[in-house]
Amino acid sequence: MDKMKRQSFMHGGPVPAKKAATGGHWSMKLLQSMEDPNMVVESDSLTVTIKDAFPKAKHHYLILPKESISSLSSLTAKHVSLLEHMDERGQSLTKQLTDKNPNLEFRQGYHAVPSMSQLHMHVISQDFDSICLKTKKHWNSFTSDFFIDSQQIIKMLKSQNKVEIDRGKYEALLKADLVCHRCKHNPKNMPALVQHINTHLSQQ
Ligand code: AMP
Ligand code: ZN
């Protein structure tokens, strides 16, 4: 590598996420979806919004930065404005969808311990009406404190200049008893939960 190229490699600023999209491991698949026209919903200079490939509700999207950022723990103070921008993208998407259907409710946030690489913010409707929602882990990851609201993450980053996650504490939440996010009922298993949340859907 000549001197000029080496310098731009070392000091060239953020690495675009798509440069890292070559890996075949399942945990890198979001990078591939960011480049798949069938998955991309919208994009701008900083972010790409994709459909979640296994939606856990009627409406489930992921908003990812174009800059390569592997997870919450890679964030520093310089990312505050990017996270605020991702939050705004989520709010704008939510508005588009709720303008069409005012009965929809959304949350936008991050899994404390994600399974997929490249930072991604979930934007998910709160009906949880989906055949892809199959396990206790799925349910608890979206309805317990394991799901951290985007605004909460921004607040943490602003106050501490980093996002610190106690993995043990959050992973324990995934094993907790099932609780309905609407009425705090405790269904005994996933089939009972699905039947129970259907009663809320029919009331809407
Ligand atoms: P997590 O890493 O736990 O925050 O969640 C990763 C999300 O990515 C899940 O909601 C998956 O359904 C979704 N997912 C998995 N593979 C893909 C893919 N290839 N393209 C889009 N979304 C995906
Ligand atoms: Zn309930």
Side-chain angles (χ1 to χ4, degrees):
M1 202 186 284
D2 66 44
K3 198 175 168 200
M4 283 296 285
K5 273 193 188 147
R6 190 167 61 244
Q7 275 184 346
S8 67
F9 176 72
M10 290 167 71
H11 305 292
V15 180
K18 68 177 183 185
K19 284 250 158 61
T22 47
H25 191 261
W26 63 267
S27 66
M28 307 300 283
K29 297 280 186 210
L30 295 184
L31 296 171
Q32 289 170 12
S33 291
M34 285 173 79
E35 296 189 59
D36 179 348
N38 293 318
M39 296 301 284
V40 173
V41 175
E42 56 189 18
S43 67
D44 63 14
S45 59
L46 297 174
T47 63
V48 180
T49 302
I50 62 171
K51 292 180 266 191
D52 192 291
F54 308 97
K56 306 303 185 295
K58 276 186 185 147
H59 303 271
H60 189 182
Y61 299 92
L62 304 173
I63 300 184
L64 305 100
K66 285 186 173 171
E67 176 185 343
S68 177
I69 301 173
S70 63
S71 69
L72 292 171
S73 59
S74 316
L75 294 171
T76 67
K78 74 169 184 170
H79 294 115
V80 167
S81 60
L82 175 63
L83 258 62
E84 286 176 335
H85 181 76
M86 289 168 66
D87 189 77
E88 281 161 20
R89 298 309 307 151
Q91 286 181 35
S92 151
L93 178 60
T94 293
K95 185 172 181 321
Q96 286 172 45
L97 295 162
T98 50
D99 280 351
K100 279 191 210 144
N101 180 354
N103 287 328
L104 290 173
E105 283 172 47
F106 283 87
R107 280 183 77 191
Q108 54 187 53
Y110 300 82
H111 279 159
V113 186
S115 52
M116 306 288 284
S117 195
Q118 181 64 359
L119 186 71
H120 50 279
M121 184 181 81
H122 295 264
V123 178
I124 183 163
S125 58
Q126 296 298 295
D127 48 83
F128 297 110
D129 181 10
S130 167
I131 51 163
C132 294
L133 185 90
K134 290 181 178 150
T135 65
K136 176 189 258 197
K137 189 175 164 183
H138 288 157
W139 179 256
N140 286 343
S141 75
F142 287 101
T143 59
S144 76
D145 290 345
F146 189 88
F147 188 89
I148 309 177
D149 285 315
S150 159
Q151 283 294 335
Q152 181 67 24
I153 293 289
I154 292 170
K155 212 164 132 188
M156 272 191 235
L157 192 57
K158 279 183 171 168
S159 63
Q160 299 162 23
N161 294 329
K162 61 184 170 186
V163 177
E164 259 179 325
I165 297 291
D166 177 344
R167 283 182 76 104
K169 177 186 117 180
Y170 284 106
E171 280 168 352
L173 295 174
L174 296 177
K175 296 178 188 143
D177 287 347
L178 296 169
V179 184
C180 170
H181 66 314
R182 297 264 185 233
C183 72
K184 306 298 171 203
H185 170 66
N186 288 115
K188 62 179 187 308
N189 54 32
M190 279 306 287
L193 176 101
V194 169
Q195 206 174 26
H196 175 79
I197 56 176
N198 276 338
T199 64
H200 289 296
L201 292 177
S202 60
Q203 288 159 12
Q204 276 178 358

